[in-house]
């Protein structure tokens, strides 16, 4: 009987890029890697939301455009998370 591995969205190549030259044994000694992953994911979602909002015709007609990012700190179940919010 052959047991197949469950499908995953994270490939070995992705892990290689994330880990880079870091010592893999150091990756689990803190929250740095997981915090950075959460930050990047949330910031990417916020940027995508702003892209969709600004692509609407009424926003374009009004001349609304991006005007940069602001630093914010969001409180989460696992602690505070600094973000760059559009």
């Amino acid at each position: 009987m052959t047991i197949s591995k469950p499908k995953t969205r994270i490939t070995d190549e992705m892990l290689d890029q994330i880990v880079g030259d870091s010592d893999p044994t150091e990756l689990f000694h803190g929250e740095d890697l997981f915090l950075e992953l959460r930050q990047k994911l949330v910031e990417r979602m916020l940027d995508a939301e702003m892209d969709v909002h600004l692509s609407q015709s009424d926003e374009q007609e009004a001349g609304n455009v991006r005007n940069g990012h602001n630093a914010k700190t969001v409180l989460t179940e696992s602690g505070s998370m600094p973000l760059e919010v559009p």
Side-chain angles (χ1 to χ4, degrees):
M1 174 166 68
T2 304
I3 299 175
S4 60
K5 288 174 44 175
K7 292 230 175 200
T8 179
R9 292 177 281 187
I10 300 172
T11 65
D12 288 340
E13 291 80 16
M14 290 173 170
L15 286 176
D16 290 342
Q17 287 181 331
I18 291 170
V19 173
D21 295 333
S22 300
D23 178 1
T25 60
E26 295 295 316
L27 294 175
F28 295 99
H29 289 290
E31 281 284 315
D32 294 346
L33 176 63
F34 299 112
L35 175 63
E36 187 176 348
L37 286 170
R38 284 192 304 264
Q39 286 172 318
K40 292 294 185 186
L41 179 60
V42 170
E43 289 172 350
R44 187 170 182 178
M45 290 172 15
L46 290 170
D47 279 332
E49 181 182 30
M50 185 61 72
D51 288 341
V52 169
H53 176 71
L54 292 176
S55 70
Q56 296 172 2
S57 60
D58 56 335
E59 294 298 325
Q60 291 177 350
E61 290 172 12
N64 290 333
V65 295
R66 286 184 174 269
N67 61 355
H69 291 79
N70 290 315
K72 302 281 183 189
T73 300
V74 177
L75 299 178
T76 69
E77 290 180 4
S78 58
S80 62
M81 180 173 43
L83 296 172
E84 289 293 318
V85 178

